[in-house]
Amino acid sequence: MGDSLLAITVIWGFIFIYAVMGTMDFGAGFWSMVYINREKTNATNIANRYLSPTWEVTNVFIVAIVVGLFSFFPGATFTLGTVLLIPGSIILLLLALRSGFLVFSNYTKGARHQKALVYISGLSGVLIPAFLIAVLPISQGGYIDTIDGVEKLNLLKVFTSPNVYAFIGFAVSSSLFLSSLLLADYSKSSDEMEAYEVYRRDALITGPISLVMAILIMLTLRMEATWLYNNMMEDKPILFISLFLFLVAGGALLLPSSKGKGMPRLAVVAIVLQYFLASYVYGKGHLPYVIYPNVTIETGFTHPDAFRSLFITYIVGFAILFPGFYYFWRLFMKDNRKYIGKKPY
Amino acid sequence: MEHLVTARSMFGMTMGVHIIFATLGVGIPLMILLAELLYQRTKDKDYELMAKRWTKGAAILLGVAIPTGTIAGVQLALLWPGFMEVVGKVMSLPFQIEIYAFFIEALFLSIYVYAADRISRTMRIVSLILVAIGAVASAVLITNVHAFEGTPAGFRIVNGEITDVDPWGAFFNPSFITTAGHVAVSAYATGAFVIASIAAFKMLRSRKEPRLYRFHQKALMMGLIVGGIFSFLTALNGHESAQLLYEYQPEKLAGAEGLFETTDYAPLTIGGFTDRETQTVKWGIEIPWALSFLADDRFDTVVAGLNDFPEEYWPPLFIHTLFNGMVGIGALLILLSILGIAWYKFMKKRGFPKWLMWAFVISGPLAILSVEFGWIFACTGRQPWVIYRIMKTSESVTTSANLEFLFALFLIVYAILVVAVSLVLIYYFKRNPLEKELADMN
Ligand code: HDD
Ligand code: HEM
Ligand code: HEM
C-alpha cells in the first residue's frame, strides 16, 4: 500500500470510529431527552449512564480527525479550511452547546430549569450529525466555486441539493437507530427490561427509516456525483452483503430469546459490520479524491519522511493506550450490571 | 471590522476563554491528587472530602474546557489555513502526540469520576496521576506549537517551498523547554491560588462554625503552600523566558520594556504606558541598569531598542502594560504566600487579619488575569508574524469572507457557556453544602 493510501486509511478509520461512537453519543443524548418524563422505565437513566463517561472519549476522535487531516494532508488544509469555515463553525457552536449543557444538566439534578438544559443539549446534539455529514456531499464536488483564484463554498447550492438532504436524513435517522440499538443491548445486559422494550421498539422504527435514507442517498448520488456512484457500483457485492447484514439485525431483534424478545447484541454487531462495509465502499469509491476534483490524496500529501515519523507515533501511541481503552470498556460497558444504581463519586 | 482584525479577534477570544478552563484543568487535578495523597498519609478524612468536592468542580469546568478546546483546535485550521499548512508539514508531531494526552486524560478522568467507588484505592491514585499527566502533557504539547511560532526550527524555505523537514528538530525548537515549563508551573500556581481564594472566602463566611472553618483553613494552607512554590518557580522560569526573548525575539523584549533606543546599561521600566509619539514610557518607574542585567546577567549587555527595527515589525506597544501586569501579579502572589505561611506559623489563636484574608480571596482571580496577560502579551507581541520572520499573520488568514457574523455567534455562545457554568457551579455547591457532606461523612 502506498503511503498516502495508508494515511487516508488511518483517517478513514478515525472517521468510522467517530461516526459510530458519535452517532451513539448524540443519539443517546436525544433519547435521554425524549424519555425524561417517564420516570418508571429508567430509559433516561440508562442513556445517561452510557453517556456520562463516554462523551469525552468520543470527543477526542473528532480532534484526531482534524489533526490527522492537516498533518497527513497539509496541502489540502487551505482548501478544506476555507471551504468548511461556515459548516465547520456551525458544528463547533452546536458541539459547544451540546457538551456544555450535557455536563451542566448532569450536575443540576433537581433544579427547576434542569429540563431546559437537557433539551438544549439533546436538540443541539441531534443537529450535529446533520451538519457533520454535510461535509461528505461537499467533498463530492460541485459546491465549490473558484472566483479570482479563491475557493468559496456555494452555500445556496448546498442547501438546495437533494443529495445533501438525503445525507442529512440519513445522519439523523442512523444516530437514532444506532443509539437505540446500543441502548437496547445496554439495558438488556443491565436487566432493565422495560427500558429494553422501549429502545427495541425505537430501533425497529428508526432502522427502516435509515435504510430508506441510505437508498435515497444512492438515488440522488447517481444524479449529482455520477463518478462516485459508478465507483461504488463496482463493489455491488459488498453493498448487498451490507444490506443482508441489515436484515440479520432486524431478524435478531424480532427472534425470541431466553429473556425478552430479540438478541440485541447480535443486532449491534451486525449493524456495525453493515456500516463498516457500506462506508468502506463509499470511501473506496471516493478515492483518490479528498475533495473532488480539487484535491487528491497525492496532491495534498505530506513529506514521506514526516509521514513515517507520524505513523510510528500512531502505532506506539495506540499500543500504549490500548490497555487504557480495555480497562475503560470493562468498567463501563461490560460489567455494568454490577453497578446499577450506584452513585458516581 | 477589517477581515484580518476580525479573524485575530475571533481566535484571541476563543483562546482567552479556553485558557481559563484549560489552566484550571491542569492546576486543579494536581491539587486533587495532593489532597488524595495527604489523605492516604494523614488519614484525615477532610482531605478525602476536599478531593471529592474539587473533582466535582473540575468535572463541571470540563464542560467548557473541552468544547472550547475543540473549537480552538478546529478554528486554527479554519481561520489560519496558511499557518496550519506549514504546521502540518513541519510541526504536526505535538498535535499528534497531544491526541494521546487527551485520550489518557479523558479515559482516566471518567474512570476517576464515575467509577471511583468500584476501583481500589491504588487504582484511584493511579487514575488521578494519569489525569494530571494527561492534562499537563496536553498543555506542554500545545504550548510547543506556540514556542515554534516564536522560535521556528526544523525546516528551510527555498524558493517558497518547504524543504529539509526535520520533525523532531522542529519539536525541540529553542524555546520549547522554557516556554512549556513556564506554562506548566504557572498553571499549577493558578490552580492552587484559585483553591486558596475559595477557601479564604468560605473562611470569612464560616467564622462562627469552627468545624467548617478548620476544613477551609486546611484547604487554604494547601493552596498557599503549593501556590507559593509554583509561583516562585514561575518567576524563576519567567526570567529565563525573558532571556530567550532577548536572544530570539529582541523587538518583542523591547516592546515589553518600552525601550526605543539601543543601549548598554539599559534601565528597567516598571509601570506606565508606552507612548509612540514621544518614544517614552509615561508614568513609569525606571530602575537603572536592571534590564541589561535581566536580559543577559551583565550590566553592560547591549539591549536592542525598537528603533533598530522597521516600524512595521514593531509589536503593539501596549504589551508593555500586559507584561508588567503579569510580572506584578507574579511578585504579589509570591509575597502573599510567604506572608500567609509565615503568619500561620507564628499566629496564635487569632487567625489571619481581615485584609490578608481578602488579599487571599482575590489571589485566584489575579492569577487567572496574569495568565491572560501573559498569553495576550505572547501572542499579540509576536505580531505581525504568525511564524517569526517566516510567515506573516496576514498571509495565513482564511480567504472566506463574512467573519463578523461568525464572530458574533461565537461571542454569544461563549457568553452563554461562561454564565451557565458559573450558575451551575453555584447551584451545585449550594445544593451540596459542606455541612451536609461533613455530616454524611461521620
Ligand atoms: C500565573 C501566571 C503567570 C505569572 C505569575 C507569570 N507568568 Fe509569565 N507567562 C504566563 C503566565 C505567568 C503564561 C500565560 O503562561 C505565558 C504566556 C505565553 C507563555 O509561554 O506563558 C507567559 C509568558 C511569559 C513571557 C513571554 C514568553 C514569550 O513571549 O514567548 C515572559 C518573558 C514571561 N512570561 C516572564 C515572566 C516573568 C519574568 C514573571 C515574573 C514573575 C512571570 N512571567 C510571571
Ligand atoms: C499554546 C497555544 C497557542 C497557540 C498555538 C496560539 C497560536 C496563535 C495563532 C496561530 C494566532 C493567530 C495568528 C496570529 O495572530 O499570530 C494567535 C493569535 C492570538 N492568540 Fe494565541 N495561541 C495560543 C494560546 C493563546 C492563549 C492561551 C491566548 C489567551 C488569551 C492567546 C491569545 C491570542 C490572541 C489575543 C491572538 C490575536 C493576536 C493578535 O492578532 O493581536 N493565544 N495565537
Ligand atoms: C497553553 C494553552 C493551553 C493549555 C494550557 C491547554 C490545556 C488544555 C487542557 C488541560 C485541556 C483538557 C481540559 C480538561 O480535561 O480539563 C484542553 C482541552 C483541549 N484543548 Fe487546550 N490548552 C491550551 C491551548 C490550546 C490550543 C491553542 C488548542 C488548539 C490547537 C487547544 C486544543 C484543545 C482541544 C482540542 C481540547 C479538547 C480535547 C478533548 O476533546 O478532550 N488547546 N486544553
Side-chain angles (χ1 to χ4, degrees), chain A residues 176-223:
Chain A
L176 302 183
F177 175 44
L178 279 174
S179 56
S180 49
L181 205 54
L182 181 84
L183 291 173
D185 179 36
Y186 196 67
S187 8
K188 192 170 184 187
S189 69
S190 316
D191 276 331
E192 297 274 2
M193 294 315 281
E194 270 170 272
Y196 169 64
E197 277 309 321
V198 170
Y199 285 124
R200 176 176 161 272
R201 186 206 58 205
D202 290 334
L204 285 172
I205 298 170
T206 49
I209 300 179
S210 313
L211 184 65
V212 170
M213 290 296 168
I215 293 170
L216 281 180
I217 289 180
M218 291 311 284
L219 293 180
T220 48
L221 198 65
R222 190 176 186 174
M223 292 181 292

Side-chain angles (χ1 to χ4, degrees), chain B residues 73-331:
Chain B
V74 184
Q75 223 169 47
L76 266 181
L78 295 178
L79 290 178
W80 314 106
F83 168 62
M84 287 312 269
E85 193 173 336
V86 179
V87 168
K89 286 181 180 145
V90 184
M91 195 53 187
S92 43
L93 274 175
F95 279 106
Q96 210 68 224
I97 304 172
E98 189 174 23
I99 299 291
Y100 301 105
F102 285 152
F103 271 128
I104 290 181
E105 190 183 0
L107 288 171
F108 288 93
L109 194 72
S110 295
I111 289 173
Y112 182 72
V113 173
Y114 293 101
D117 53 355
R118 19 176 151 148
I119 57 181
S120 65
R121 286 216 172 276
T122 324
M123 236 1 251
R124 240 164 79 178
I125 302 266
V126 170
S127 303
L128 264 180
I129 290 176
L130 287 170
V131 169
I133 290 177
V136 75
S138 36
V140 162
L141 288 161
I142 192 67
T143 302
N144 193 11
V145 179
H146 167 79
F148 171 83
E149 293 180 68
T151 56
F155 68 109
R156 287 195 313 140
I157 294 201
V158 181
N159 302 329
E161 288 292 316
I162 293 178
T163 61
D164 296 332
V165 173
D166 169 10
W168 289 104
F171 191 95
F172 290 103
N173 65 78
S175 61
F176 167 44
I177 304 285
T178 309
T179 308
H182 194 60
V183 169
V185 290
S186 65
Y188 288 145
T190 307
F193 279 109
V194 165
I195 295 286
S197 272
I198 298 170
F201 184 73
K202 293 284 182 186
M203 280 165 76
L204 286 168
R205 289 291 156 96
S206 60
R207 299 214 148 149
K208 305 215 166 61
E209 293 148 285
R211 180 72 188 90
L212 302 186
Y213 190 84
R214 252 184 298 131
F215 180 94
H216 291 308
Q217 192 170 46
K218 287 177 202 164
L220 174 69
M221 290 325 291
M222 250 183 97
L224 287 181
I225 292 169
V226 177
I229 294 171
F230 282 106
S231 51
F232 185 66
L233 292 177
T234 304
L236 278 186
N237 171 296
H239 175 59
E240 252 172 79
S241 298
Q243 297 198 332
L244 273 177
L245 289 188
Y246 168 74
E247 203 176 334
Y248 291 100
Q249 298 182 72
E251 62 269 48
K252 196 179 197 176
L253 183 66
E257 302 298 356
L259 185 72
F260 286 89
E261 289 304 328
T262 301
T263 173
D264 50 3
Y265 301 100
L268 183 71
T269 315
I270 296 179
F273 299 91
T274 316
D275 184 42
R276 191 181 290 263
E277 301 304 313
T278 59
Q279 302 216 333
T280 52
V281 179
K282 285 196 170 146
W283 303 302
I285 302 163
E286 272 194 12
I287 305 178
W289 300 8
L291 178 55
S292 283
F293 187 75
L294 282 182
D296 201 24
D297 301 330
R298 292 164 57 99
F299 292 113
D300 59 358
T301 305
V302 177
V303 183
L306 285 168
N307 288 335
D308 269 19
F309 305 94
E311 197 165 341
E312 54 176 322
Y313 290 179
W314 287 12
L317 297 182
F318 61 80
I319 61 173
H320 171 66
T321 311
L322 295 174
F323 183 60
N324 274 199
M326 169 178 69
V327 177
I329 293 174

Side-chain angles (χ1 to χ4, degrees), chain B residues 398-417:
Chain B
T398 175
T399 47
S400 309
N402 301 328
L403 293 180
E404 288 84 356
F405 179 63
L406 289 178
F407 180 91
L409 285 182
F410 277 102
L411 181 66
I412 294 171
V413 169
Y414 294 145
I416 294 176
L417 286 179

Side-chain angles (χ1 to χ4, degrees), chain A residues 59, chain B residues 15 18-19 22 25 62 69-70 72-73 76 102 105 139 142-143 375:
Chain A
N59 191 67
Chain B
M15 290 313 306
H18 178 59
I19 196 62
L62 212 64
T70 311
L76 266 181
F102 285 152
E105 190 183 0
I142 192 67
T143 302
W375 275 109

